[in-house]
Amino acid sequence: MAHHTPTQRVQIDVDAVTHDLAKIVGADRVLSDDTSMMVYETDGATLYKSKPHVVVFPDTTAHVSQIVKYANAKKIPFLARGAGTGLSGGALAGFGGIIIAMNRMNRILKLDIENRRAVVEPGVVNLWITNAATQHGYHYAPDPSSQKACTIGGNIAENSGGPHTLKYGVTVNHIAEMEVVLPNGEITTVGSGGDDPIGYDVMAMLIGSEGTLGIATTITVKLTRNPQGYKTLLAVFHDIDDATNSVSEIIASGMIPAALEMMDRLIIKAVEEAFGFGFPSDAEAVLIVELDGLTVGMEEQAEQIVRICKERNAANIQVANSAAERDLLWKSRKQAFGALGRIAKSYLTQDGVVPRTKLPEVLRTVYEISKKYDMRIANVFHAGDGNIHPILLFDEDDPAQEKAVLDASGEILKKCVDVGGTITGEHGVGVEKMAFMTLLFTPEDLDLMLTVRSLFNPDNLLNPGKIFPSDDMGMGIQLDG
Amino acid sequence: MADLKARFAAIVGTEQVERLDEGVAELGVDEPMTRVSPKTTDDLIEAVKFANTESIPLIPTGNGSAFHLGNLPVEGRVLLSTRNLHATVDYEPRDLTGIFQAGKRLADIQGELGKHDQFLALDPPNRASATIGGIVSTNVSGPLRAAYGTPRDLCLGLKAVMIDGTFVKGGGRVVKNVAGYDMTRMFLGSLGTLGVIVEAAFRLHPIPTDRRCVIASMKSWEAAQSLAAQVVHSELQPLFVELVGETEPTVLVGFGGIAEQVAYQVERVESLAKDAARVEIASGDDFDARHAALLDALDAAHRDDTRLVLRIGTAMTQVLPAREILMRLVDERHFGVQSTIHYPSGAQYAIVKMDEGASGESTVELVERLRKEVHALNGRVVVESAPVEAKRRMDVWGEPTGPLAVMEQLKRRLDPNALLNRGRYLRGIP
Ligand SMILES: Cc1cc2nc3c(=O)[nH]c(=O)nc-3n(C[C@H](O)[C@H](O)[C@H](O)COP(=O)(O)OP(=O)(O)OC[C@H]3O[C@@H](n4cnc5c(N)ncnc54)[C@H](O)[C@@H]3O)c2cc1C
């Protein structure tokens, strides 16, 4: 696995840095022992490993700014880290250096229900905001499946989505204002109390920049009113094309469901074995459709969805009639990843997006690739957005299998790009998809982005070794040819 | 000048180059200008390259329906128009996405999509003549933003030509995309100062079949605000919530969708509007007319050289306090004000009717005082249009919503000789 650890590391005097950082945040807020560093060597993309030299836990924006200024003065690479649930290797210290762990900056500073806003620190876990706002009838809409663990800071860096972003949009649509520490340590504010940017949209440029253009230290998020009602349906199909075509048809009928999620045979089998939901053994696809909003007229819409699915030969359609039943229908989807852990030693989750109408074609290609490499690939995904998550199952201790996983990933993402899609819809490029950037972008496109980076982050000290092929530190996937 | 015209003509063809003898009044230019309107992207690239080599400042434009925006250009005498690039690049109704060349007019796009009962959910005041490139460059929106958002939310990707002729893209055509930096939103609202946008992709929506609007005449602005707030915090899903009027406010709440849902929502608003002086319901064509009237007032004011149009952005709860500040300042000057407030976004448009012969000076002073007081509410004031005389003496943008130093550097890196819309963007941005 030599090629998944960096070939270069910075040299730093760990004791001196630990000592200096302790002066900023206190000795109990700095870690550098080897065992602790192991905890921070990877994120949700466990194939990639690179240890930081030091981890520091700031409490305030001023701390973050001082740490960043210190790192600049000493030319030490640094990056922010939230919960470490990222799936592209964004939160690992590529060349070593300092990880600024945002977990102690985890206060909800203000709920401003009248203006539908909440002001939070970056270490706040996504779901906490919803938990705090729900008594007022509000929630924070972007809901990554990892929402019980991932932080708002991480969400901003990745511009995260979730099952309900089909209707409500992704992170960038739900942030009003942020206080940011720029890569030189300066503190600035982007966004405003009003809604429209004045001047270049620096806030949007920061969101989704995978933590390479600045560190968010205070965030004003927009809150969304809880819908009056929900209607959740689960349909089982014996043919995957029937399921994906139902997705297109539901959308084309003019409805915008809150969520349209799909799972294929391998996932169904895994959740079935793990939790026994009672799915038929010959099920090829399960589609979960959720409507939300006004209760008036919802019944008719649900009936229309049932009709569409039935016309497409859905075998079995369940409709939830209570909150408990809704949770049950969602349970299979939410536990999909967990279930996979039981049937494979390792897995790699891809994140391509394709135009919805291309889903049948692209899934067929995924199955062909699975056959070609003799590798199990499970699919659980945000079908309404055309955002597929092929999960490649393998054994990371077998170098041959590992190579195959990377090659197969490349083929899948190439197909996504070929049909007009993209290589990542919500997980980011990180270290994992650096090589695939050239499938999508011309050298000129990449140059423009690098110009932007050099403007914010001229010495490339903030989270180096990510996103850009030119930043490859020898651990990314290599494209053949 | 004649030479310039000939040289551009050699690149893009004689037909595509015009001389505008009178200049463009809204841009404060009364000497002749040249308008270059390439028919292909390749020609546009060549025209930009030529301008770059010869250091000719360019004013990128579509149909010229937003010349009223921005500060007055410095030195620009050449308009580079995308109006001849007006193809639909790709439209797949079943994906609810469409890609259009920058010069395509929004009105034409709506006509095409309408055949499939779909539309691009944007309703800027200049919707009749605005091109899609102009809309993206100005991030302009209308009442419907309450339901669908602004171009910033609906644009999925774009292509642009940089000043050295480099062709770049941001985003794509799919609804989720986080590969690399968000170059799409970097260009959005940049008023053509970073590059010339030549193509943009959008998320589309089904046209709501049943449309109805509740129009409640209220006795006071407080009552109007309270009704709007109740709607916003209720289970209702309005297409728009507007507060409009001069002295007496009217609240307009629009709904669209399935008949049964629309009917329920209209009833709910009627019951919330108990203390209204009068409540009317407009549906179908009547709805469309009321919606259009909201936009036409602003559109006309933008074109009227005696009007000052302000966009005041605050949080929802500061909408009325901001309006009160404006009213006080305006009363002192005996001007009149007509307000159009997109309540849920806190975007408030004020059409200030000045006395005939009011000096540019008094307008400038009004804006300055207003800005100062609105800033105290964490709000911003942008002058969307003003008499040219006033514009010569003011900065229409005010304080940006991000670090000016970063913005300035961005501009310097991407357009080092400040050839694109020189002077029209923020003060401090060349
Ligand atoms: C089981 C599972 C399900 C998932 N489901 C989804 C899903 O449905 N949708 C989705 O979008 N993602 C999903 N993810 C991916 C992941 O949860 C998201 O990317 C999440 O936003 C990462 O948050 P984090 O706090 O864990 O960030 P980390 O992994 O700690 O960091 C991610 C990136 O954010 C940067 N960062 C962290 N904090 C800051 C800050 N304050 N300022 C600037 N940069 C910062 C880091 O430098 C790094 O580059 C899933 C992951 C798992 C494991």
Side-chain angles (χ1 to χ4, degrees):
Chain A
M1 285 210 316
H3 61 297
H4 298 301
T5 51
T7 47
Q8 315 158 37
R9 261 174 91 73
V10 290
Q11 299 293 318
I12 67 172
D13 179 345
V14 173
D15 289 342
V17 173
T18 307
H19 178 80
D20 292 342
L21 291 176
K23 279 196 279 192
I24 301 173
V25 294
D28 57 335
R29 300 280 163 101
V30 190
L31 299 174
S32 54
D33 60 287
D34 208 49
T35 328
S36 302
M37 294 311 97
M38 296 260 290
V39 177
Y40 293 91
E41 74 176 353
T42 186
D43 59 10
T46 49
L47 209 49
Y48 307 94
K49 296 187 171 70
S50 177
K51 272 190 281 220
H53 289 92
V54 182
V55 178
V56 55
F57 297 84
D59 241 327
T60 62
T61 303
H63 281 168
V64 176
S65 167
Q66 281 171 275
I67 295 164
V68 169
K69 283 182 178 158
Y70 172 80
N72 271 282
K74 302 277 175 188
K75 298 265 174 267
I76 302 171
F78 60 97
L79 68 146
R81 181 175 169 116
T85 67
L87 291 172
S88 53
L92 53 80
F95 301 95
I98 302 170
I99 281 188
I100 307 175
M102 307 303 287
N103 315 74
R104 303 220 175 173
M105 291 178 67
N106 63 358
R107 285 153 287 217
I108 295 179
L109 301 173
K110 185 173 158 193
L111 277 182
D112 177 6
I113 297 298
E114 270 193 291
N115 285 308
R116 303 186 296 190
R117 299 281 188 268
V119 183
V120 305
E121 291 184 329
V124 163
V125 169
N126 175 298
L127 190 61
W128 296 358
I129 304 178
T130 291
N131 288 345
T134 189
Q135 57 177 313
H136 306 285
Y138 279 83
H139 69 288
Y140 177 63
D143 59 340
S145 308
S146 51
Q147 71 178 152
K148 283 185 183 156
C150 65
T151 66
I152 290 298
N155 291 174
I156 282 169
E158 305 293 353
N159 193 16
S160 301
H164 290 84
T165 49
L166 170 62
K167 179 166 175 183
Y168 294 100
V170 294
T171 303
V172 70
N173 308 110
H174 296 271
I175 305 295
E177 193 172 348
M178 315 196 282
E179 176 194 62
V180 180
V181 172
L182 293 172
N184 64 6
E186 227 173 83
I187 301 167
T188 190
T189 303
V190 292
S192 75
D195 215 16
D196 292 306
I198 299 172
Y200 304 127
D201 197 342
V202 177
M203 184 163 79
M205 292 164 73
L206 282 157
I207 295 172
S209 68
E210 304 193 24
T212 64
L213 301 182
I215 298 177
T217 48
T218 312
I219 300 119
T220 305
V221 302
K222 300 181 186 177
L223 299 174
T224 303
R225 197 185 185 282
N226 293 344
Q228 188 180 33
Y230 296 96
K231 198 94 207 170
T232 311
L233 299 91
L234 185 149
V236 178
F237 293 83
H238 293 304
D239 181 284
I240 188 111
D241 284 4
D242 279 340
T244 44
N245 284 323
S246 299
V247 169
S248 284
E249 219 157 301
I250 290 167
I251 302 269
S253 74
M255 283 183 275
I256 302 185
L260 256 173
E261 299 280 307
M262 232 177 97
M263 299 185 281
D264 78 351
R265 190 174 48 82
L266 194 49
I267 289 272
I268 298 169
K269 204 163 147 263
V271 293
E272 196 50 41
E273 275 166 21
F275 309 107
F277 286 102
F279 294 133
S281 56
D282 56 349
E284 286 291 328
V286 163
L287 182 62
I288 297 176
V289 190
E290 183 155 287
L291 295 166
D292 75 4
L294 296 171
T295 46
V296 202
M298 198 177 270
E299 201 62 52
E300 289 73 9
Q301 283 188 304
E303 279 165 20
Q304 199 182 343
I305 289 170
V306 169
R307 214 161 37 239
I308 290 171
C309 293
K310 277 196 175 146
E311 274 164 22
R312 295 280 179 185
N313 310 312
N316 175 341
I317 303 175
Q318 299 172 50
V319 183
N321 288 310
S322 66
E325 287 180 24
R326 175 182 178 230
D327 289 346
L328 192 67
L329 293 191
W330 270 110
K331 202 171 165 197
S332 56
R333 166 67 178 90
K334 292 197 168 160
Q335 301 194 335
F337 279 86
L340 282 177
R342 303 164 64 125
I343 65 167
K345 200 156 166 189
S346 332
Y347 58 83
L348 181 77
T349 308
Q350 280 308 337
D351 182 36
V353 188
V354 300
R356 241 170 341 243
T357 49
K358 304 285 188 204
L359 278 174
E361 176 188 339
V362 169
L363 285 178
R364 269 195 298 277
T365 305
V366 171
Y367 294 131
E368 281 159 21
I369 292 168
S370 159
K371 251 201 210 117
K372 173 174 162 189
Y373 287 93
D374 189 21
M375 175 188 305
R376 292 179 300 169
I377 303 181
N379 289 282
V380 47
F381 59 102
H382 312 303
D385 290 320
N387 186 189
I388 61 169
H389 288 326
I391 306 170
L392 295 80
L393 308 181
F394 68 109
D395 176 352
E396 73 178 56
D397 293 332
D398 175 351
Q401 282 196 37
E402 206 193 290
K403 163 106 175 57
V405 156
L406 303 180
D407 291 345
S409 292
E411 283 194 37
I412 292 171
L413 296 183
K414 180 154 188 326
K415 177 71 182 177
C416 293
V417 172
D418 286 347
V419 300
T422 185
I423 58 172
T424 173
E426 53 181 25
H427 297 165
V429 177
V431 293
E432 187 227 341
K433 289 182 276 289
M434 282 191 286
F436 303 138
M437 287 289 276
T438 52
L439 290 176
L440 200 56
F441 295 112
T442 62
E444 289 79 17
D445 298 338
L446 291 173
D447 265 358
L448 178 64
M449 293 182 200
L450 284 167
T451 301
V452 168
R453 185 177 72 180
S454 69
L455 197 139
F456 283 85
N457 186 9
D459 300 324
N460 196 14
L461 286 176
L462 175 55
N463 209 4
K466 310 290 166 72
I467 308 176
F468 301 102
S470 52
D471 255 49
D472 196 338
M473 54 203 153
M475 58 194 309
I477 300 174
Q478 304 302 320
L479 275 186
D480 286 337
Chain B
M1 192 77 203
D3 176 45
L4 200 57
K5 191 177 166 211
R7 294 182 71 186
F8 273 113
I11 298 167
V12 303
T14 318
E15 306 271 277
Q16 278 64 253
V17 186
E18 301 147 89
R19 188 181 147 101
L20 309 177
D21 286 323
E22 320 270 273
V24 175
E26 287 161 290
L27 294 175
V29 180
D30 52 13
E31 36 186 290
M33 295 180 82
T34 306
R35 179 162 68 176
V36 183
S37 316
K39 286 197 98 150
T40 66
T41 306
D42 286 344
D43 284 356
L44 185 137
I45 291 174
E46 290 310 315
V48 170
K49 278 187 185 161
F50 168 70
N52 191 34
T53 345
E54 302 284 318
S55 292
I56 302 166
L58 295 173
I59 299 177
T61 173
N63 251 347
S65 66
F67 280 147
H68 56 83
L69 279 183
N71 289 313
L72 298 177
V74 176
E75 290 172 59
R77 294 295 174 267
V78 177
L79 299 166
L80 178 65
S81 170
T82 53
R83 55 210 271 276
N84 284 333
L85 299 171
H86 49 60
T88 294
V89 179
D90 192 23
Y91 169 39
E92 172 50 75
R94 289 197 309 146
D95 281 332
L96 283 156
T97 55
I99 307 177
F100 311 99
Q101 278 192 313
K104 190 157 189 115
R105 292 187 314 152
L106 179 62
D108 294 335
I109 292 176
Q110 306 297 32
E112 250 172 63
L113 307 183
K115 291 179 200 148
H116 299 271
D117 300 316
Q118 296 181 355
F119 77 130
L120 173 51
L122 292 171
D123 58 344
N126 57 352
R127 66 214 181 280
S129 54
T131 61
I132 209 65
I135 288 170
V136 167
S137 299
T138 56
N139 191 32
V140 63
S141 60
L144 288 180
R145 63 182 291 167
Y148 303 102
T150 63
R152 188 180 186 269
D153 301 299
L154 296 174
C155 182
L156 304 173
L158 49 76
K159 291 184 178 161
V161 176
M162 309 306 284
I163 191 62
D164 63 357
T166 312
F167 188 65
V168 295
K169 71 166 168 302
R173 53 172 291 188
V174 285
V175 294
K176 278 165 89 179
N177 193 350
V178 297
Y181 294 156
D182 189 346
M183 297 293 89
T184 306
R185 289 187 179 85
M186 180 179 83
F187 284 106
L188 263 153
S190 67
L191 203 74
T193 57
L194 299 179
V196 183
I197 295 165
V198 293
E199 190 181 301
F202 291 90
R203 164 181 219 148
L204 309 173
H205 285 86
I207 296 176
T209 39
D210 199 49
R211 299 186 289 282
R212 286 221 247 164
C213 180
V214 183
I215 303 144
S217 310
M218 307 303 289
K219 291 172 198 147
S220 69
W221 283 88
E222 288 68 32
Q225 193 263 350
S226 152
L227 173 58
Q230 285 181 69
V231 171
V232 162
H233 291 291
S234 73
E235 78 282 10
L236 305 179
Q237 301 177 321
L239 292 178
F240 54 77
V241 183
E242 298 281 299
L243 266 58
V244 298
E246 295 188 36
T247 43
E248 302 277 279
T250 303
V251 177
L252 294 99
V253 188
F255 295 104
I258 307 172
E260 198 185 352
Q261 291 185 339
V262 172
Y264 163 81
Q265 298 188 91
V266 165
E267 248 171 63
R268 275 278 279 134
V269 178
E270 281 182 291
S271 73
L272 290 174
K274 277 208 187 65
D275 55 352
R278 201 158 53 95
V279 177
E280 273 177 84
I281 313 291
S283 33
D285 291 345
D286 220 12
F287 170 100
D288 293 342
R290 295 308 284 248
H291 176 226
L294 285 172
L295 308 174
D296 290 340
L298 268 173
D299 192 35
H302 278 147
R303 293 159 195 273
D304 184 340
D305 189 38
T306 67
R307 297 283 185 266
L308 175 69
V309 180
L310 304 171
R311 189 181 85 218
I312 307 170
T314 62
M316 265 192 291
T317 49
Q318 303 293 1
V319 157
L320 279 203
R323 185 174 180 278
E324 274 154 28
I325 295 169
L326 174 70
M327 294 313 289
R328 175 164 46 73
L329 295 173
V330 158
D331 280 346
E332 286 169 8
R333 289 163 181 76
H334 310 291
F335 295 166
V337 171
Q338 186 187 339
S339 303
T340 303
I341 302 172
H342 306 327
Y343 187 73
S345 59
Q348 148 159 225
Y349 293 80
I351 303 172
V352 182
K353 296 168 193 166
M354 289 161 303
D355 291 346
E356 217 161 301
S359 70
E361 211 61 65
S362 59
T363 313
V364 175
E365 198 213 317
L366 169 73
V367 170
E368 271 168 12
R369 300 240 340 245
L370 180 67
R371 258 188 197 143
K372 211 161 155 201
E373 294 194 42
V374 168
H375 272 189
L377 307 174
N378 192 17
R380 299 284 201 288
V381 179
V382 171
V383 177
E384 288 219 327
S385 62
V388 166
E389 267 326 295
K391 270 194 161 185
R392 288 193 203 286
R393 290 172 231 197
M394 68 161 101
D395 166 27
V396 304
W397 300 104
E399 194 193 322
T401 56
L404 183 63
V406 170
M407 296 184 195
E408 185 198 337
Q409 285 174 46
L410 180 66
K411 169 72 175 176
R412 286 189 194 281
R413 293 292 282 277
L414 300 185
D415 179 18
N417 300 318
L419 294 178
L420 294 168
N421 254 338
R422 183 183 295 174
R424 271 184 89 193
Y425 214 43
L426 312 185
R427 275 291 141 81
I429 302 238

